[in-house]
Amino acid sequence: MEGSEPPINDPQDYALRFEDLTVDDDLPLLDRIVRYCRSGIALQRLVHVKMLAETAETVGTKAVLSTLIPILGSLVTDQESVIRQHLASQLLPVALVAMVRNVGLGQKHSVADMLNDKSLPKIYDSEGYRTVTTIVVGQYLQTLVTDVDVDVRRSASDSLAGLAFHVRRDDVASVIFPIPLRLAQQQQHQLSKSKNNKAEQQQTTPDEGLTEELRITAANLLAELGGAGENESIPRSLVREMLLPAVLALCRDPGFRVRRAAAQALPRVLGGTSVEDSRNKILPAFEVLSKDEVYRVRKSTGECLVDMSRSMMILVKTNDSSNINALRRQTLIPIAENLLADANKFVRHGMMQFLGPFLASFYPFIYSALKTILPGTSESDGSNHSGIVAQFFPHASSMVSRLNSSAAATTSAPTPTLTSIATARKYSMIQELLRALPSFVGADRSSSISLKAVVAHRRNYPPDHEDIREVMGKLLDHFTGLAKVNTGDDNTDAEMRVYCAYSYPAVVLLLGPENWEGRLRDCFKTLLNPNYGSKEKTGPTAPPLPVKRCLASSLHTVAHILGPEITTNDIMPIFRDHFLKDTDESVRLNMIRNFPTLVSLLEPPLRNQYILLWCETIRGEEVLGAMKRSATNPLVLNWRQRDYVSRCLPELIVMVDAVFVYNHLWPILKSLLTDTVNLVRQDAVWAIPLLLKAFAAENVNDLDGGSSQKAKETWSNWACQEVTRWLKETIPKMSTSNTKGKSSSGKTGNFSQRQLYCQVCTAMSLAIRLGDGLKDPDDPVVELESRFTSAMQTRNSRIMIEEYGPYRKLTDGERKHLSRLLTNDILPLALEFKDDRVTNVRLTLRKTLLLVPENIAQSSACQEAAQSLLDEVETWESFDGIENTPPPPPPTQAQTQKSNTQGADSRQQNGTAADANRESVVPVARGLKKKGSKREKKKGVENINVVQSDTAAAI
């Protein structure tokens, strides 16, 4: 078969057969890679080159050395640049498996673990280590780094820089460093020779253009390697002795693009050197580049000022902070002033763009206790936890790496192999409970703790007083001037205002509430109203939409930094007048999402006023009370905004008294529980336990009929009975479909609503069980709280974390109150669903009963329902992803019809199950067609009709 295959990378055309275009999936994984990486079809080579890393991790060190690495030589010289690019990105994980024995499938560490945590211990394979250092690095990567395609060079540089963390420290200088040093030095030698020939100097050849590109690659690679010296991954002595001279030489290169790349490399190298090298070598070279004759080089230094300031603060770890702060003030602030006054408008605008992050870099964040608390990566749960870092510390990550990111060039979609198969994992009891909670509950807690950590750190560890004085004296006017800049170009002016709004929270954090009066406050109001403080009201009164969106997303963080008094006097009136009834969808979404955090700063009387105003706005005829959105009424909330209203209700309920909750928040919750979108209803369910907890007699205050204990108990019973009666009468029997026809359950509602009622029981059960104050040490939120309390070391640090927030601790009275309501009023109706005709309703009830508190689960009704559902579960082929062996006997006629019905229901289940029901649904038997009775046929038709109508309702 292999003899008939065309030569590798054969440029000539040949007749392709069907066998040539297909991939033999029956081949073993390693044989498949070997065959199709040699294919004459470029697409087949590309697909299987992307599988090299996964294959290497699967087959292990010996197979990689004997089979995979020998086939890479032809791919290095492949005629398709995209194949060489992806090969370069795959070389790092392949080399890691080849030279480290304790990495791969069945080993102690995975490749991803080793790449993420470079400090993990490594057991080197002698043959593999020699092969990687001589062949992979010395031949393959060295060839790819000098490739004619820029994306290939970037990917190869990233892999080479990554390998520097995993080879032996003693071999870094002899294995990794020679490639970029030779790349820079040899090209310099060639350039110096060409200068002797005037004819060559006047005419630029393609080879000379490539040599300049290679020197730029050398500068970028030296920057990546120099950055490894920040955390001693590469010895600082090697950075000072070998890398720094090469970068300084590139700063004097005749090509302006090389000098620009060298300017971007200086901050990275600075973090791996000493204070003396910074003062005597790096900063003078950087200052010379900031006055370069080519404006592109000067503009680049402005973009690098943030990284330069950040890198200087890294030196604080091993040096006196006062000396470094003084050196930074004396060197970088004058450079910024000169660039802001540059004759070229592109240089000025570039410096304006990075002025806010540059000011923020003077806050002592790097190597502070705060950096150990806040996250370093983004999150996918929609929280503002990582957004705190982006708003307050835009300088926390490298600016240059974002400008020259090669992530897009090296990212490839992984092909599933054996290593991507999820294995079963056992969870503890508290972990199962926390997994059943929706993600937004933990996200809200994380955001709250992160914001409080920033406020506590600003109060306990304020910035250097001299830094603040210099910033306010020399740069603050330039920053606040961005809010009303007039460059003559409206688009540029709007962009500068956006830059100002984006960095505004970070500048407020640096200067603090003591400097709010005056320029900071005027800047904030000017951003909202361009005519603020102007005698001539000729310009537009509305700010650019991106500006308002930035301010809406950060209003709550600015308020927390400024404190309750300034928030009450200045921020809340702005919220009321400019944001509460804004028609833009993004502004309203941020206002809804951040409203609980914003009003938590206020004193209870004022807080109640603003929550009441918020409730009246949400319930008004223009928002939730309207039937549909139109051009004349754009305030109607879309489903995402209504979903965030559902998510913020738990936080609001715990802030106000029971009577307020009943009068103003309960009507909103009723509207959300009957929403037409399933996700809105599901998220609204999690506010019900908090609502009923608020109605406990011990939480009832300020009754019109008196404050006696008997009056409180009477009101509590009346309010709870009304809520539970409404839940039982509305949710299970509500229909969200307009389709006419009979229901499959014999009730007036569809099956997804009965599932929703089971999820009400789940939420109640979790509130009771988590009310015992159980904590999982592995829970990210618990770990965040622990880091916060230990790092801040303040007297009130534990009081600042609410122990009685949503799904936190309960008092004895609240626990008894919720248990009584669940046992007597809510759960009995759900237990009737054990005989429901729809399988997924019974499945949801089964999972609910697994979470019910033990004392309630011991009741005869619960045990009977649980046993009935357990007997049914045991007849299924799988439940919760655990397969039973041996396989069951062939199904009977009745079982076949029932399996088909279950299949239709499980398809409808997609998108309607709550987070508590993440496990897989019941598998169905496909392809079994048997003739059934008329009743069975009729039943199947009814279920199909219900599935179709419920699908339309869910959409």
Side-chain angles (χ1 to χ4, degrees):
M1 182 72 180
E2 295 182 359
S4 62
E5 293 181 355
I8 303 174
N9 303 334
D10 189 359
Q12 63 182 356
D13 298 333
Y14 57 88
L16 293 176
R17 299 171 302 169
F18 178 77
E19 291 80 3
D20 298 326
L21 297 175
T22 57
V23 174
D24 188 359
D25 293 330
D26 295 333
L27 284 175
L29 181 61
L30 190 58
D31 294 341
R32 177 181 167 185
I33 295 297
V34 172
R35 169 178 292 188
Y36 293 105
C37 280
R38 296 174 175 176
S39 171
I41 303 174
L43 181 59
Q44 290 183 347
R45 297 199 305 274
L46 176 62
V47 168
H48 291 83
V49 162
K50 291 182 179 182
M51 296 174 59
L52 285 174
E54 297 276 354
T55 304
E57 189 170 7
T58 302
V59 300
T61 301
K62 293 184 178 179
V64 170
L65 293 175
S66 61
T67 307
L68 277 189
I69 290 184
I71 70 173
L72 301 181
S74 60
L75 296 172
V76 170
T77 58
D78 195 284
Q79 62 182 359
E80 299 291 340
S81 63
V82 66
I83 294 178
R84 302 195 304 273
Q85 171 192 338
H86 285 283
L87 172 65
S89 66
Q90 299 283 310
L91 283 180
L92 174 58
V94 170
L96 200 56
V97 175
M99 69 179 181
V100 181
R101 286 185 292 177
N102 59 332
V103 171
L105 186 64
Q107 300 297 328
K108 186 175 182 180
H109 305 295
S110 67
V111 171
D113 295 337
M114 192 69 71
L115 292 176
N116 293 330
D117 188 358
K118 301 175 180 60
S119 62
L120 292 176
K122 303 175 181 65
I123 302 176
Y124 292 105
D125 182 87
S126 58
E127 179 186 357
Y129 190 85
R130 182 171 59 256
T131 301
V132 169
T133 54
T134 57
I135 298 178
V136 176
V137 176
Q139 298 180 18
Y140 298 161
L141 282 176
Q142 184 169 355
T143 301
L144 293 171
V145 163
T146 59
D147 196 273
V148 295
D149 188 273
V150 62
D151 292 330
V152 177
R153 296 198 300 272
R154 285 181 178 177
S155 297
S157 299
D158 289 342
S159 294
L160 186 62
L163 271 175
F165 293 95
H166 300 287
V167 299
R168 295 188 178 99
R169 285 170 59 91
D170 297 338
D171 294 335
V172 172
S174 59
V175 175
I176 305 296
F177 283 4
I179 294 179
L181 293 177
R182 191 181 308 117
L183 198 62
Q185 295 172 358
Q186 288 182 355
Q187 306 306 330
Q188 289 284 0
H189 291 312
Q190 294 179 9
L191 188 63
S192 62
K193 292 179 181 179
S194 66
K195 287 183 179 180
N196 297 327
N197 191 333
K198 294 183 179 180
E200 292 183 4
Q201 189 176 5
Q202 293 175 356
Q203 184 178 3
T204 301
T205 64
D207 291 339
E208 291 178 355
L210 179 60
T211 57
E212 183 174 319
E213 292 283 348
L214 294 179
R215 295 200 300 278
I216 294 173
T217 300
N220 295 332
L221 185 52
L222 290 171
E224 293 294 329
L225 295 173
E230 295 178 0
N231 51 10
E232 297 290 343
S233 298
I234 293 178
R236 288 177 178 266
S237 58
L238 294 179
V239 176
R240 293 196 301 267
E241 297 170 4
M242 301 182 67
L243 301 186
L244 180 57
V247 175
L248 293 176
L250 292 174
C251 291
R252 300 185 294 271
D253 193 276
F256 79 89
R257 293 194 302 158
V258 179
R259 297 198 302 276
R260 182 174 60 183
Q264 296 173 352
L266 283 176
R268 303 294 305 277
V269 177
L270 185 146
T273 57
S274 63
V275 178
E276 290 74 17
D277 291 326
S278 302
R279 178 184 294 107
N280 301 326
K281 298 178 181 179
I282 297 178
L283 290 177
F286 189 77
E287 186 174 2
V288 171
L289 290 174
S290 69
K291 301 176 182 178
D292 195 273
E293 60 182 4
V294 180
Y295 81 90
R296 290 185 178 91
V297 179
R298 301 198 302 274
K299 181 175 181 291
S300 179
T301 57
E303 297 167 350
C304 298
L305 266 179
V306 180
D307 287 342
M308 187 65 75
S309 177
R310 171 180 173 270
S311 297
M312 293 186 71
M313 293 311 298
I314 292 175
L315 299 178
V316 173
K317 185 179 180 180
T318 55
N319 298 274
D320 183 18
S321 61
S322 60
N323 294 334
I324 296 177
N325 288 340
L327 179 62
R328 181 173 58 167
R329 290 193 303 268
Q330 296 167 4
T331 307
L332 300 187
I333 291 181
I335 293 177
E337 288 184 293
N338 292 334
L339 294 175
L340 288 170
D342 196 273
N344 188 282
K345 68 176 183 178
F346 296 108
V347 177
R348 297 194 305 272
H349 296 169
M351 188 62 238
M352 290 177 185
Q353 177 182 352
F354 289 91
L355 180 58
F358 177 61
L359 297 182
S361 67
F362 285 87
Y363 187 85
F365 176 67
I366 305 298
Y367 287 113
S368 67
L370 187 60
K371 194 173 188 297
T372 64
I373 298 175
L374 299 181
T377 57
S378 60
E379 301 179 12
S380 59
D381 54 14
S383 70
N384 290 331
H385 187 34
S386 58
I388 298 295
V389 179
Q391 289 183 7
F392 286 136
F393 313 108
H395 61 288
S397 59
S398 174
M399 291 285 179
V400 174
S401 64
R402 279 179 267 176
L403 293 173
N404 297 331
S405 175
S406 59
T410 60
T411 302
S412 60
T415 303
T417 60
L418 294 177
T419 57
S420 62
I421 299 177
T423 56
R425 176 184 174 186
K426 294 183 178 180
Y427 295 94
S428 64
M429 183 266 293
I430 180 59
Q431 288 174 335
E432 289 288 355
L433 296 179
L434 293 175
R435 288 177 69 240
L437 278 177
S439 60
F440 70 83
V441 173
D444 291 341
R445 290 169 56 192
S446 299
S447 300
S448 176
I449 296 169
S450 298
L451 187 54
K452 291 174 181 177
V454 173
V455 175
H457 186 269
R458 177 62 176 79
R459 182 174 59 249
N460 298 332
Y461 307 98
D464 189 288
H465 178 72
E466 290 297 322
D467 284 347
I468 293 180
R469 188 174 64 84
E470 287 291 313
V471 166
M472 294 189 65
K474 297 182 178 180
L475 296 179
L476 184 59
D477 286 337
H478 292 285
F479 177 77
T480 56
L482 297 178
K484 52 186 176 181
V485 66
N486 185 9
T487 62
D489 184 355
D490 293 340
N491 292 331
T492 302
D493 295 345
E495 289 181 6
M496 294 305 156
R497 293 187 178 98
V498 173
Y499 296 143
C500 180
Y502 180 80
S503 301
Y504 189 82
V507 177
V508 172
L509 176 66
L510 172 69
L511 302 181
E514 59 272 15
N515 295 307
W516 166 253
E517 296 290 338
R519 287 176 285 180
L520 277 182
R521 184 176 64 178
D522 293 343
C523 176
F524 188 73
K525 293 186 177 181
T526 304
L527 287 172
L528 287 171
N529 181 9
N531 287 330
Y532 176 79
S534 176
K535 296 181 180 179
E536 299 179 359
K537 310 293 183 179
T538 58
T541 58
L545 191 55
V547 172
K548 198 164 189 179
R549 288 174 176 174
C550 281
L551 296 178
S553 65
S554 60
L555 189 67
H556 65 296
T557 59
V558 172
H560 274 261
I561 295 300
L562 296 177
E565 183 178 354
I566 297 178
T567 299
T568 301
N569 298 329
D570 292 336
I571 302 299
M572 295 312 296
I574 291 175
F575 165 79
R576 180 190 61 220
D577 299 336
H578 293 274
F579 292 104
L580 183 59
K581 295 185 178 182
D582 196 274
T583 58
D584 181 68
E585 293 185 1
S586 179
V587 172
R588 279 183 296 164
L589 186 64
N590 280 298
M591 283 296 97
I592 293 170
R593 179 174 60 182
N594 301 324
F595 180 73
T597 306
L598 179 62
V599 296
S600 64
L601 276 174
L602 307 178
E603 295 296 327
L606 185 61
R607 179 193 305 160
N608 289 353
Q609 293 180 19
Y610 276 99
I611 295 179
L612 177 60
L613 179 63
W614 183 83
C615 292
E616 292 175 348
T617 303
I618 295 296
R619 291 177 58 193
E621 293 298 326
E622 295 178 338
V623 188
L624 286 181
M627 296 299 296
K628 62 180 180 179
R629 177 184 298 178
S630 65
T632 58
N633 183 20
L635 292 177
V636 178
L637 302 181
N638 60 32
W639 71 267
R640 289 184 179 86
Q641 295 160 354
R642 299 197 302 273
D643 183 47
Y644 270 102
V645 174
S646 299
R647 294 183 176 196
C648 75
L649 279 181
E651 297 285 340
L652 293 176
I653 289 174
V654 299
M655 294 183 189
V656 292
D657 60 86
V659 177
F660 189 99
V661 170
Y662 178 82
N663 291 333
H664 303 291
L665 296 178
W666 168 231
I668 295 177
L669 181 57
K670 285 194 292 185
S671 176
L672 297 170
L673 288 171
T674 56
D675 196 273
T676 57
V677 176
N678 198 32
L679 182 61
V680 177
R681 301 194 300 269
Q682 286 181 344
D683 287 343
V685 159
W686 298 98
I688 293 176
L690 282 303
L691 179 87
L692 295 175
K693 185 188 81 168
F695 292 164
E698 62 183 80
N699 297 328
V700 178
N701 297 312
D702 301 331
L703 289 177
D704 295 336
S707 300
S708 65
Q709 183 63 27
K710 184 177 180 180
K712 293 180 180 180
E713 293 177 356
T714 301
W715 188 92
S716 173
N717 292 332
W718 169 79
C720 292
Q721 288 301 318
E722 178 178 336
V723 172
T724 55
R725 182 171 60 253
W726 185 91
L727 293 175
K728 291 185 290 185
E729 292 178 353
T730 305
I731 292 183
K733 301 179 181 180
M734 181 186 68
S735 176
T736 59
S737 173
N738 295 326
T739 303
K740 296 181 180 180
K742 296 181 180 180
S743 172
S744 65
S745 62
K747 302 178 183 295
T748 58
N750 57 45
F751 79 94
S752 64
Q753 295 306 122
R754 301 195 296 280
Q755 283 183 295
L756 188 67
Y757 189 82
C758 293
Q759 291 163 15
V760 173
C761 301
T762 299
M764 292 287 293
S765 302
L766 287 174
I768 296 171
R769 297 188 66 178
L770 293 174
D772 295 331
L774 301 175
K775 290 186 177 181
D776 175 23
D778 297 329
D779 182 13
V781 179
V782 174
E783 182 183 359
L784 187 66
E785 291 177 347
S786 177
R787 292 202 304 265
F788 173 51
T789 54
S790 61
M792 292 305 143
Q793 297 286 328
T794 59
R795 183 177 303 175
N796 298 325
S797 60
R798 292 191 178 275
I799 300 176
M800 294 173 64
I801 299 178
E802 297 88 349
E803 294 183 351
Y804 294 91
Y807 294 92
R808 306 298 298 274
K809 292 180 65 175
L810 298 175
T811 64
D812 292 337
E814 291 171 343
R815 185 180 295 104
K816 293 178 181 178
H817 173 73
L818 292 180
S819 299
R820 177 178 56 81
L821 291 175
L822 178 62
T823 305
N824 300 334
D825 299 317
I826 300 177
L827 189 58
L829 177 59
L831 295 178
E832 297 179 6
F833 300 156
K834 66 182 177 63
D835 299 320
D836 197 278
R837 297 175 65 178
V838 179
T839 305
N840 280 341
V841 176
R842 304 194 301 274
L843 176 62
T844 305
L845 177 61
R846 161 71 176 166
K847 295 177 179 179
T848 297
L849 293 178
L850 294 176
L851 298 173
V852 169
E854 185 176 358
N855 61 324
I856 300 177
Q858 296 300 323
S859 64
S860 58
C862 284
Q863 288 185 345
E864 179 185 354
Q867 186 60 43
S868 174
L869 295 171
L870 179 61
D871 294 340
E872 181 182 1
V873 166
E874 292 176 348
T875 66
W876 295 343
E877 293 181 7
S878 71
F879 179 68
D880 288 347
I882 302 175
E883 296 185 358
N884 297 324
T885 54
T892 63
Q893 179 177 349
Q895 291 173 339
T896 301
Q897 183 65 33
K898 182 176 181 180
S899 178
N900 291 334
T901 305
Q902 293 175 359
D905 295 333
S906 66
R907 288 191 293 272
Q908 171 62 18
Q909 172 72 2
N910 184 24
T912 61
D915 289 338
N917 302 327
R918 294 175 183 167
E919 295 84 359
S920 58
V921 296
V922 184
V924 298
R926 300 181 181 273
L928 300 177
K929 297 181 179 180
K930 289 191 177 183
K931 189 175 182 180
S933 64
K934 292 182 179 180
R935 180 177 181 181
E936 289 174 335
K937 292 180 179 178
K938 182 178 179 182
K939 177 180 177 181
V941 171
E942 289 178 352
N943 274 329
I944 292 173
N945 290 335
V946 172
V947 168
Q948 292 174 347
S949 63
D950 290 345
T951 302
I955 294 176

